[in-house]
Amino acid sequence: MTPYRFERLNPLRFPLVARFYKTHYPSGAPRKDEVIWTAEGEKGLCGAVRFRQFDTDRFQLLTGMLIAPELRRQKLGVALLEAVQEQIDLVPCYCLAFRHLVPLYQQAGFNVIDVQALPASLKGRYISYCNGGKDLVPMMFASREQC
């Protein structure tokens, strides 16, 4: 695999990430208040993952992970999730994964959980997304102590 550089997004580069999402995942537009990590290769930006912080409940939601379509199924998503481990470890981390991506997140240490185990503010969001037709699976990162 080509070497990639993984790093937390410098806010000055936000327009680049916004354009990347607009091109490949228009409904997943990033927000400036999210923590964003990127993957860059020889040809520039090729992946990103966002973390939405929920300060009142002290957890985060891994959301909108995007790998450039031509680089999918090459383990770049797994490498990006490994690279953001320090972010995942900060506070409890949840993910509402598309069903077909559950194995990818499980490989990175996330476990499928019952909807009732979601924090209230996230449970409502999950129900709304599912009622809108999305096939999502609630997941939570298993801390090192749980492994």
Side-chain angles (χ1 to χ4, degrees), residues 81-141:
L81 289 171
E82 288 173 1
V84 301
Q85 193 64 52
E86 69 182 67
Q87 180 67 45
I88 291 172
D89 285 338
L90 287 177
V91 294
C93 187
Y94 295 89
C95 175
L96 303 178
F98 286 112
R99 188 166 306 279
H100 69 280
L101 294 176
V102 167
L104 169 78
Y105 290 107
Q106 285 175 322
Q107 193 173 354
F110 283 82
N111 292 324
V112 174
I113 61 171
D114 187 84
V115 176
Q116 299 307 317
L118 290 170
S121 56
L122 195 51
K123 189 185 316 179
R125 187 179 301 247
Y126 170 80
I127 291 168
S128 175
Y129 292 158
C130 290
N131 286 341
K134 293 184 178 178
D135 187 16
L136 300 174
V137 176
M139 302 185 80
M140 182 179 183
F141 183 74

Side-chain angles (χ1 to χ4, degrees), residues 6 29 37 53 71 76 78 85 87 94 102 108 125:
F6 304 99
W37 285 75
Q53 305 302 304
L71 297 173
L76 180 55
V78 172
Q85 193 64 52
Q87 180 67 45
Y94 295 89
V102 167
R125 187 179 301 247

